[in-house]
Amino acid sequence: MRPMRFVHTFLAILGLALAAPGGAQPREAECLIPSKPGGGMDLTCKLAQKALHGQSGAPELQLSYLPGGVGAVAWHTMVSQRRAEANTLVTFSGGSVLNLALGKFGDADVDDVRWVAAFGADYGMIAVRADSPWQSLDDLLHALKRDPKKVLIGMSGTVGSQDWIKMALLAQMAGIDPRKMRFVALEGGGEQFIAMQENHVQAVSGDTSEALLYTGDGRVRVLAVLSERRLPGALSGVKTAREQGYDVVWPVIRGVWMGPDVREADYRRWVKAFDNMEASPEFAEKRARAGLYPFSLTGDALTRYIKQSVAGHHRQARQFKLLRER
């Protein structure tokens, strides 16, 4: 047998030996986070890691990080090089779905990956430093209206990202041209809050789960949450944007997907694992501790939801003339 042929045969046999027999879960799996540590993507994988731990037959999730392009690097790595990895999950958020809809992943399409589970949601929020002169959303928007160039706003992503659209909708309602505002594009919620603490930006457009990581020490003031009604827990005293006269609601779902060539049996195995996880009595407590709120969809139901969301984002993007020409 030729040496190269022997190597290929050996690797094929090794792969079969390492595969979980009969569709059983392996002992370990990878949760890939497409951002730097400290933000909502990181939180999503850590929630799954904690919630799956101790579940009968569930693997131990090992976390890894692959930031870049606000999710684009991880997307293209999985789709081009790691298409069939049966035990690699990639975390996503509503912002990932928006970027996909806007063409920020190139010619990527909803059907390029397999959507496994969404197991929580949080909401958009606007925050400033605790020593900021702005005590309310109105204060911040009035400052922006007086001179939009004097207020730097930190966000995850660039123009057209969910953090940009959230702020653009609020600005538009206050009579401000969103294109005149100054944004600083950062990689994930962790970087946003660090930049604000260093006064590189004066406000942050982000998510409530990220804000909860930084409000405990009293250095951050959340001016508004973009939810239908006030949220329970640590942010219960924060008014919604609606209460302050700005009718903007922005839910952010969080979950995981897999590569497109993952075998059906392996895909269904993971869907079942997350169905069991979400049905466990302890999961609701873990989700709440992570600053997330109930939102449970898996498998085919989640895939339909993602497709509907992309269609909705297309309509919203046309409003701001953000759609990328294909």
Side-chain angles (χ1 to χ4, degrees), residues 127-129 152-156 183-205 214 219-220:
V128 296
R129 283 172 36 145
L152 281 170
I153 302 163
M155 64 177 183
S156 179
F183 291 91
V184 176
L186 299 161
E187 189 74 43
E191 281 199 1
Q192 290 172 270
F193 283 92
I194 291 169
M196 188 165 69
Q197 290 308 316
E198 298 296 325
N199 206 33
H200 298 313
V201 298
Q202 288 73 55
V204 162
S205 173
Y214 297 91
R219 292 184 296 168
V220 170

Side-chain angles (χ1 to χ4, degrees), residues 70-132:
V70 198
V73 171
W75 180 283
H76 290 297
T77 298
M78 292 299 297
V79 170
S80 65
Q81 302 169 31
R82 303 171 62 178
R83 296 174 61 86
E85 293 186 8
N87 298 305
T88 300
L89 303 165
V90 185
T91 186
F92 77 92
S93 72
S96 312
V97 179
L98 174 61
N99 286 338
L100 179 62
L102 295 179
K104 298 209 172 179
F105 293 173
D107 292 329
D109 185 77
V110 171
D111 294 320
D112 288 350
V113 302
R114 307 200 75 171
W115 303 93
V116 180
F119 41 83
D122 60 358
Y123 290 89
M125 63 86 225
I126 308 299
V128 296
R129 283 172 36 145
D131 59 2
S132 168

Side-chain angles (χ1 to χ4, degrees), residues 219-241:
R219 292 184 296 168
V220 170
R221 178 188 302 136
V222 179
L223 299 182
V225 292
L226 307 184
S227 53
E228 294 89 347
R229 57 190 62 85
R230 289 202 195 188
L231 300 174
L235 297 178
S236 59
V238 179
K239 291 182 179 180
T240 66

Side-chain angles (χ1 to χ4, degrees), residues 256-277:
V256 291
W257 54 263
M258 305 182 76
D261 292 342
V262 172
R263 294 185 309 166
E264 182 69 13
D266 290 317
Y267 172 68
R268 294 297 166 189
R269 165 169 59 86
W270 277 108
V271 169
K272 183 178 179 181
F274 280 102
D275 281 336
N276 292 340
M277 181 191 84

